[in-house]
Amino acid sequence: MLQNKLFEILSSASDDIYFYICDVKRDYSRWSKNTVADFGVPEYVYNNAAVWMEHIHPDDRETYRLDVQAVFEGKKNRHECEYRARNIKGEYVWLKCCGVMHYNENGEPVLFGGFMMRLDIHTSYDPVTHLRTANHESDWIRAILDSDQPAILMLVGVDAFRKIVNNYGYEFGNSVLFQIGQKLSALCSSLGEGCIAARFVKDEFLLILPGRTVEQAQEIFQQIKKLVQQVGAQGQTIDICVSAGAVRLPDDGRGYDTLVAKQEHALEYAKEHDRGGFCMYSAEIEQEHTRRIHLRNALAHSINNNFEGFELYFQPIVAKTSHRMTGCETLLRWKYGTEHGIRMDETIDELERSGYIKQVGEWVIDTCLQYLRRWQEREETFTVSVNVSAVQFRDAEFISRLIRKVHENGVDPRRLIVELTESATVENVDQLAGGFRELRDAGIRVSLDDFGTENSTLTLLRDLPVDEVKIDQSFILQLAPQHRVDLAIVESTIQLCNKLGVLVVVEGLETREAIDMVENYNITSMQGFYFARPMPVSEFEHHISKTYDLVN
Ligand code: C2E
Ligand code: MG
Ligand code: MG
């Protein structure tokens, strides 16, 4: 009865699924060859339950005994339980054991058979991508790291994956990851033995490329970029961009944690400085990472000490026709950064990346509302513009909180202008449009900052209800008759805004020449070093409502 062809076929079909069959009347069992090899059990054995029990971890024996007993007593048709069993090396491994009783026509139990599955191996497959998972518990990856074989380990990250999930949903995101995973897996198969694609974390995949040089890895990355540039999921096709960070084995170290950290730093660097690029780990990357950690810690320190060292500066905004200051822009300053030569836009970037912008942004709003309250009493139509990054808008409560604060501070909402910065990171335009409507319904004005620098700003102008556009200063700083392209962009942006009834502010005006040029257009206001640099409040308050003379 145990000389069963199907049993033999199934037994040889897998290395890590173990089969067994038992002639119940004789209590005589047969194990598959891999069970014999891995657990040291005899292929044929009488009273298997007692023999196998010896292999089961003492703490798990009762679970096993009760489950098998229930099946043999006919109380349960299927045996199914998880336990640890000792293998030939003396290690305990987790197994899932399943078995079924077969009865003859008289209802007597005849054959009992089933299989055991290594849980540690099988749960290391990622359910989303169907690839192996790579984490610090993965034996397979440890084996690679422990071997002396040279290899490149490449971490491939999907750029702006969160945006995909936000726009198309979680399930869609999973389908995209599955498709990418399949493409990477097929590529690795074609690259030959030892090349493996695994799911790392979130939107990151790990590729093991044994014996490859840096140049070859770079070429492989170019192949990957082409392979995944368009991914179809749930009947839709979307554009995908990936970046990669890589380490060399064994040169860049051995330990799992060290290598993973280095890889992450290289990927982070690629995403920051060369989006869509491939970055090999290097000492410079480590330096940059360390610098960033210092910056982040210093920011955290300031925030935790009641925003110590943060200050607001104000830069006048001047009416085009009268050259009178009609409002100002609130600009954040950080003493530690100034003292250590860190540019403000770098600080803002770090605040955004770390998420600290939420706390600091609230502090900016609280502080500037207090000043605005004071100034609106002196100057009835004076406005204060405040920068709010797309990251801050992602907080669903942000807008209602802002409106509440405006009321609590006794501020006239019409005196406040919210400038949307970092519009490239807008993830959900519909949600943002809803938020803008709410702000405008409350009387607060909305402005699109740095207009023209991101390729999506035209779409934003179409999709978002805004009152004002600030043309990015990069177009203005260069403004001269010979720079025809900049001039054409500025001119057509102004015309577009005029047609849409959107006010235009021109910033970055440093020279009289630039002012003369923009004054030919139908713009509302001007801002720039020519009129005044951003100032601390004590100085700024002397200038409120000043009219600027243009010196020739
Ligand atoms: P922005 O909103 O476009 O601010 C204008 C920037 O241009 C300011 O730089 C200002 O000092 C500078 N600027 C003004 N006039 C001129 C000029 O004539 N020539 C030149 N070369 N520069 C001029 P700053 O203060 O370094 O701010 C950089 C960016 O940081 C801001 O750009 C804004 O996006 C962001 N930011 C500043 N404060 C905050 C804040 O409180 N919250 C948020 N979320 N972002 C902020
Ligand atoms: Mg601004
Ligand atoms: Mg700007």
Side-chain angles (χ1 to χ4, degrees), residues 85 156 210 215 231 255 285 306 353 386 390 409 471 473 494 524 542:
V156 178
E215 290 71 34
V231 170
I285 287 180
N306 203 17
R353 256 194 307 263
V386 64
N409 280 279
I471 299 180
Q473 48 176 282
I494 295 170
T524 320
H542 296 299

Side-chain angles (χ1 to χ4, degrees), residues 116-174:
M116 304 184 305
M117 203 163 72
R118 282 272 303 266
L119 278 180
D120 53 343
I121 292 179
H122 288 271
T123 49
S124 69
Y125 277 82
D126 168 51
V128 174
T129 59
H130 300 188
L131 299 181
R132 301 173 190 222
T133 45
N135 57 44
H136 64 282
E137 285 172 351
S138 316
D139 290 343
W140 68 272
I141 198 163
R142 283 199 183 280
I144 290 168
L145 301 186
D146 288 346
S147 78
D148 265 337
Q149 295 297 308
I152 300 273
L153 265 59
M154 190 198 295
L155 199 58
V156 178
V158 182
D159 295 336
F161 181 69
R162 231 178 42 177
K163 202 166 173 173
I164 299 173
V165 173
N166 270 318
N167 285 340
Y168 300 95
Y170 185 76
E171 282 305 318
F172 185 87
N174 278 353

Side-chain angles (χ1 to χ4, degrees), residues 49 63-73 79 81 101 112:
T63 319
Y64 171 78
R65 194 185 63 77
L66 289 174
D67 199 73
V68 172
Q69 191 179 325
V71 175
F72 275 76
E73 288 175 354
H79 158 58
C81 68
M101 186 65 85
F112 178 67

Side-chain angles (χ1 to χ4, degrees), residues 363-533:
W363 177 87
V364 169
I365 286 167
D366 292 340
T367 315
C368 97
L369 286 176
Q370 286 165 19
Y371 292 129
L372 179 51
R373 165 76 207 249
R374 201 151 83 200
W375 298 336
Q376 75 183 7
E377 280 159 16
R378 272 173 58 178
E379 191 56 48
E380 223 184 299
T381 58
F382 194 77
T383 59
V384 170
S385 299
V386 64
N387 292 290
V388 177
S389 98
V391 178
Q392 292 172 263
F393 276 108
R394 266 180 228 153
D395 173 0
E397 306 290 306
F398 174 76
I399 288 174
S400 50
R401 203 163 49 230
L402 173 61
I403 296 172
R404 198 185 66 230
K405 284 178 176 178
V406 166
H407 292 307
E408 279 171 4
N409 280 279
V411 160
D412 177 355
R414 290 167 303 168
R415 306 279 82 85
L416 185 67
I417 301 176
V418 170
E419 292 186 10
L420 172 73
T421 70
E422 295 299 322
S423 56
T425 60
V426 170
E427 286 177 350
N428 189 333
V429 183
D430 292 341
Q431 184 209 341
L432 194 59
F436 278 15
R437 258 177 241 120
E438 248 182 88
L439 285 175
R440 297 180 79 199
D441 288 347
I444 298 168
R445 271 178 276 177
V446 191
S447 171
L448 279 186
D449 203 356
D450 309 325
F451 192 82
T453 45
E454 306 295 347
N455 48 18
S456 61
T457 37
L458 268 186
T459 345
L460 289 183
L461 186 59
R462 183 194 64 192
D463 296 336
L464 295 175
V466 297
D467 301 276
E468 175 191 281
V469 153
K470 287 184 97 166
I471 299 180
D472 189 66
Q473 48 176 282
S474 60
F475 299 108
I476 309 298
L477 292 171
Q478 299 265 334
L479 213 58
Q482 64 272 28
H483 291 130
R484 290 183 45 237
V485 176
D486 282 341
L487 199 60
I489 292 175
V490 170
E491 210 176 280
S492 45
T493 304
I494 295 170
Q495 279 167 0
L496 174 66
C497 291
N498 289 165
K499 275 200 181 137
L500 297 174
V502 172
L503 305 179
V504 181
V505 180
V506 173
E507 61 178 333
L509 290 166
E510 289 187 353
T511 62
R512 177 66 197 265
E513 191 191 16
I515 293 172
D516 287 344
M517 289 185 76
V518 297
E519 277 193 326
N520 290 321
Y521 301 116
N522 187 13
I523 59 169
T524 320
S525 359
M526 302 187 285
Q527 179 183 350
F529 291 172
Y530 186 87
F531 297 104
R533 287 185 175 255

